[in-house]
Amino acid sequence: MARQHKSRLLVTGGAGFIGSNFVHYWAKKYPQDRIVVLDALTYAGNLQNLQALLEQDRIRFVKGDICDQALVESILTEEALNLIVHFAAESHVDRSILGPDAFLETNIQGTHSMLKAARKVWLENPVVRDHHRFHHVSTDEVYGSLGATDPAFTETTPYAPNSPYAASKAASDHLVRAYHHTYGLEVTTSNCSNNYGPYHFPEKLIPLALLHMLLGKSVPIYGDGLNIRDWLFVEDHCRGIELVITEGNVGDTYNIGGNCERTNIDLIQTLCNLVDQAFQAKPELAQKYPDSPSATGSGAASLIRYVKDRPGHDRRYAIDARKIFHELGYRPTHSLETGLAQTVHWYLDNESWWKAVMDGSYSRWMDQQYGTAK
Ligand code: NAD
Ligand code: TYD
């Protein structure tokens, strides 16, 4: 979808972690574009993530469910939208293990409902028939788990999802592919590795560990801590999605990653060092967070606790991103160290954001996980 025209976007899940980062990224880069966000505001959706853009009237927000096909059709029609960037999903593996149903509903039925709406509005309308795009945001978890010496996932690695979350995302990927093949809907899909950065809900490893380091709560590491994930700063993911939308081949899938594999324990050690350094550089942090071991000199790493492993915990993910590198010239701009440092500073500068989140559904989740808010 070459950018000869202004785009008019529907961003689903735009009040969540990656979706809101994408909305900020796109609104800054393409200020002339119309952006409508559709989000059900589940526990993971947060209008604070979009506050500045909402206050400036730069975007329209619609609270609603992607399973509501009639609503999606009416938004696409009344706003004359020609681009869908589909982030909305249930996204946390641990929640999918405790309760898979919501994952099947939102990730499979919801994606299907989005595809049906796009097909109806776009393919039956000669004006947008040849000028539309449905971009589906997916994950590397659809490919399953790698052994220590296996080659990284490419776009042709067979799907082998292991968690209910991964299985539901795999099913949604197949539906997107089928709507292209069968009906000619112009789709692209991206499968990305683990993201981190601003607005990340603190049920996920990096923000959970970081906030626990500030508050002097234990940092739970599942199993032996040697599971490997491939980390990408969220803005680099947004840049990859932009490239796929603007330059990618219709019908293709692209893996997005930054060659950044780390064991969980190495990652958390790096984060501990960054938090300790932040406290050394700013003595006022010790007053603000007196329960943090970084304040008392014992060091954030003293909070690490090995806990019971996640059932079916995938051992290793790694993305081979050569296709997007070579075909679209993609390059991530952050190393893990610069991205993590930026993330630590964002959380230090945005205490009111995470305090509000932690006072809400987060504490109920921790109670459910560990029996007590840690
Ligand atoms: P998130 O959980 O932070 O946000 C999901 C958003 O979707 C929330 O705002 C939520 O309110 C909204 N939502 C959920 N159900 C909805 C429904 N039925 N209707 C409308 N809105 C609904 O998730 P995230 O981490 O930002 O992930 C976004 C997308 O990126 C997901 O599709 C996920 O599979 C994919 N992804 C995530 C990662 C990662 O590391 N987080 C990596 C690769 C791909
Ligand atoms: P997570 O952020 O949940 O992402 P995903 O499971 O989708 O990769 O977890 C990242 C890794 O960190 C994963 O191997 C599980 C592990 N983990 C912990 O060790 N402790 C935790 O408290 C959490 C949430 C995750």
Side-chain angles (χ1 to χ4, degrees), residues 11 15 98 108 122 159 186 226 235 281 285 291 311 315 331:
V11 182
L98 285 176
I108 305 177
W122 286 345
Y159 275 28
E186 303 213 336
L226 297 179
E235 194 185 278
L285 289 176
D291 295 329
R315 194 63 174 168
R331 295 288 177 277

Side-chain angles (χ1 to χ4, degrees), residues 275-344:
V275 172
D276 288 343
Q277 284 161 19
F279 275 68
Q280 279 154 19
K282 283 192 176 173
E284 64 272 24
L285 289 176
Q287 269 111 57
K288 203 167 179 191
Y289 304 110
D291 295 329
S292 171
S294 306
T296 58
S298 47
S302 63
L303 293 171
I304 293 173
R305 300 283 179 277
Y306 289 91
V307 300
K308 192 164 166 276
D309 208 354
R310 168 189 283 171
H313 194 175
D314 282 342
R315 194 63 174 168
R316 172 176 167 238
Y317 300 145
I319 278 275
D320 179 337
R322 275 178 294 181
K323 180 176 176 184
I324 192 169
F325 270 55
H326 292 145
E327 288 187 15
L328 307 184
Y330 173 70
R331 295 288 177 277
T333 60
H334 291 271
S335 66
L336 183 71
E337 286 65 28
T338 61
L340 273 184
Q342 201 165 315
T343 303
V344 169

Side-chain angles (χ1 to χ4, degrees), residues 352-363:
S352 59
W353 180 89
W354 56 261
K355 283 236 155 117
V357 171
M358 286 184 118
D359 288 344
S361 58
Y362 168 85
S363 59

Side-chain angles (χ1 to χ4, degrees), residues 92-94 141 194 203-205 208 220-222 227 229 231 264 310 313 317 370:
H92 190 38
V93 173
D94 292 323
E141 305 198 23
N194 284 63
E203 64 186 352
K204 305 277 169 66
L205 178 64
L208 182 150
I221 301 288
Y222 297 164
N227 301 71
R229 295 293 182 266
W231 295 94
N264 290 338
R310 168 189 283 171
H313 194 175
Y317 300 145
Y370 298 104

Side-chain angles (χ1 to χ4, degrees), residues 6-320:
K6 287 191 218 170
S7 293
R8 300 182 64 84
L9 297 69
L10 179 62
V11 182
T12 71
F17 162 48
I18 307 175
S20 62
N21 276 282
F22 179 83
V23 171
H24 284 286
Y25 177 88
W26 197 278
K28 187 166 176 204
K29 182 123 186 220
Y30 303 107
Q32 74 284 15
D33 283 1
R34 173 71 169 158
I35 301 177
V36 181
V37 171
L38 172 65
D39 197 298
L41 296 181
T42 67
Y43 79 93
N46 186 348
L47 274 185
Q48 292 296 317
N49 299 4
L50 298 171
Q51 193 184 8
L53 292 169
L54 287 166
E55 277 167 9
Q56 294 159 25
D57 221 8
R58 298 276 310 280
I59 59 172
R60 175 180 166 202
F61 178 79
V62 179
K63 183 172 188 290
D65 194 321
I66 54 166
C67 296
D68 185 346
Q69 189 187 334
L71 173 67
V72 177
E73 283 175 22
S74 74
I75 301 169
L76 291 176
T77 307
E78 84 195 31
E79 291 274 357
L81 304 178
N82 59 0
L83 168 60
I84 291 173
V85 192
H86 178 40
F87 292 93
E90 290 291 338
S91 69
H92 190 38
V93 173
D94 292 323
R95 288 182 191 258
S96 83
I97 293 167
L98 285 176
D101 296 71
F103 287 73
L104 272 65
E105 232 160 79
T106 289
N107 300 0
I108 305 177
Q109 301 284 14
T111 299
H112 189 218
S113 148
M114 291 297 305
L115 288 164
K116 284 191 286 183
R119 178 184 169 211
K120 181 140 184 239
V121 174
W122 286 345
L123 298 187
E124 287 174 13
N125 177 345
V127 179
V128 276
R129 210 194 143 81
D130 299 324
H131 185 68
H132 66 263
R133 177 67 63 86
F134 187 113
H135 181 75
H136 177 57
V137 179
S138 192
T139 167
D140 59 359
E141 305 198 23
V142 297
Y143 299 121
S145 183
L146 293 168
T149 56
D150 288 340
F153 304 128
T154 70
E155 289 78 1
T156 56
T157 300
Y159 275 28
N162 289 320
S163 69
Y165 163 67
S168 66
K169 291 297 291 186
S172 67
D173 293 7
H174 292 321
L175 285 166
V176 172
R177 177 191 155 88
Y179 265 65
H180 172 64
H181 191 79
T182 305
Y183 303 115
L185 195 69
E186 303 213 336
V187 307
T188 39
T189 296
S190 50
N191 295 83
C192 189
S193 57
N194 284 63
N195 283 214
Y196 64 96
Y199 304 115
H200 206 178
F201 191 86
E203 64 186 352
K204 305 277 169 66
L205 178 64
I206 288 179
L208 182 150
L210 169 54
L211 298 182
H212 283 204
M213 287 174 205
L214 298 182
L215 301 173
K217 298 178 178 197
S218 62
V219 173
I221 301 288
Y222 297 164
D224 61 7
L226 297 179
N227 301 71
I228 292 174
R229 295 293 182 266
D230 190 350
W231 295 94
L232 187 70
F233 189 60
V234 63
E235 194 185 278
D236 281 325
H237 184 189
C238 296
R239 186 170 292 110
I241 293 171
E242 175 200 14
L243 264 182
V244 174
I245 291 169
T246 55
E247 314 276 345
N249 287 324
V250 170
D252 270 17
T253 68
Y254 295 84
N255 283 353
I256 304 179
N259 297 322
C260 186
E261 288 183 60
R262 293 288 189 283
T263 62
N264 290 338
I265 190 64
D266 278 356
L267 174 82
I268 292 305
Q269 289 284 3
T270 306
L271 191 60
C272 288
N273 294 339
L274 284 168
V275 172
D276 288 343
Q277 284 161 19
F279 275 68
Q280 279 154 19
K282 283 192 176 173
E284 64 272 24
L285 289 176
Q287 269 111 57
K288 203 167 179 191
Y289 304 110
D291 295 329
S292 171
S294 306
T296 58
S298 47
S302 63
L303 293 171
I304 293 173
R305 300 283 179 277
Y306 289 91
V307 300
K308 192 164 166 276
D309 208 354
R310 168 189 283 171
H313 194 175
D314 282 342
R315 194 63 174 168
R316 172 176 167 238
Y317 300 145
I319 278 275
D320 179 337

